[in-house]
């Protein structure tokens, strides 16, 4: 069995100060789309995560073109996923001398681009 080498380019953002749940909403919109279509979707999506994903998408495109010699016209978003990162735990004073824990969640976002055949 011969393995066919598929060229792929990755970009990863680690420890983004946004929960993975919020990122996945925007990530599902661009999964499987062409690059130009994905950029326009992300640019006009009114979510906080879309700004981070747009920057990461441009980084992945630059990686594909400069490091792997891939053509811009044939790129598409093969995979995009957001995993949960470490949670920053903070404490806020509450009534009657008690305390409430505040969880500031982080996420690791990864984009994988591939070329169409």
């Amino acid at each position: 069995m011969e393995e066919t080498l598929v060229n792929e380019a990755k970009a990863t953002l680690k420890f983004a100060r946004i929960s993975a749940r919020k990122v996945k909403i925007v990530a599902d919109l661009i999964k499987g789309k062409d690059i130009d279509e994905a950029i326009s979707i992300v640019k006009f999506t009114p979510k906080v995560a879309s700004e981070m994903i747009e920057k990461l998408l441009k980084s992945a495109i630059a990686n594909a073109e400069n490091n792997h010699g891939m053509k811009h016209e044939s790129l598409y978003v093969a995979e995009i996923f957001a995993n949960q990162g470490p949670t920053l735990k903070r404490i806020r004073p509450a009534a009657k001398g008690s305390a409430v824990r505040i969880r500031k969640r982080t996420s690791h976002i990864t984009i994988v681009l591939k070329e169409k055949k």
Side-chain angles (χ1 to χ4, degrees), residues 1-20:
M1 293 173 74
E2 289 185 28
E3 288 185 33
T4 55
L5 271 172
V6 178
N7 234 1
E8 66 178 33
K10 278 186 185 180
T12 304
L13 171 63
K14 294 201 169 208
F15 307 104
R17 264 294 291 123
I18 188 167
S19 71

Side-chain angles (χ1 to χ4, degrees), residues 35-45 57:
I35 288 301
D36 296 325
E37 188 180 353
I39 288 175
S40 61
I41 288 171
V42 168
K43 190 168 279 193
F44 296 109
T45 303
L57 192 57

Side-chain angles (χ1 to χ4, degrees), residues 86-98:
T87 302
L88 305 173
K89 295 177 179 92
R90 303 291 180 257
I91 293 176
R92 179 185 186 124
K96 298 182 182 178
S98 64

Side-chain angles (χ1 to χ4, degrees), residues 8-16 20 23-24 27-28 30-31 52-53 56-57 60 63 77-84 107-113:
E8 66 178 33
K10 278 186 185 180
T12 304
L13 171 63
K14 294 201 169 208
F15 307 104
V23 175
K24 287 176 186 178
D28 289 341
I30 65 168
K31 193 179 289 184
M52 293 178 194
I53 289 178
L56 190 62
L57 192 57
N63 288 344
V77 180
E79 295 177 54
I80 178 169
F81 50 89
N83 298 325
Q84 188 172 349
S107 59
H108 304 314
I109 310 165
T110 304
I111 294 180
V112 178
L113 303 180

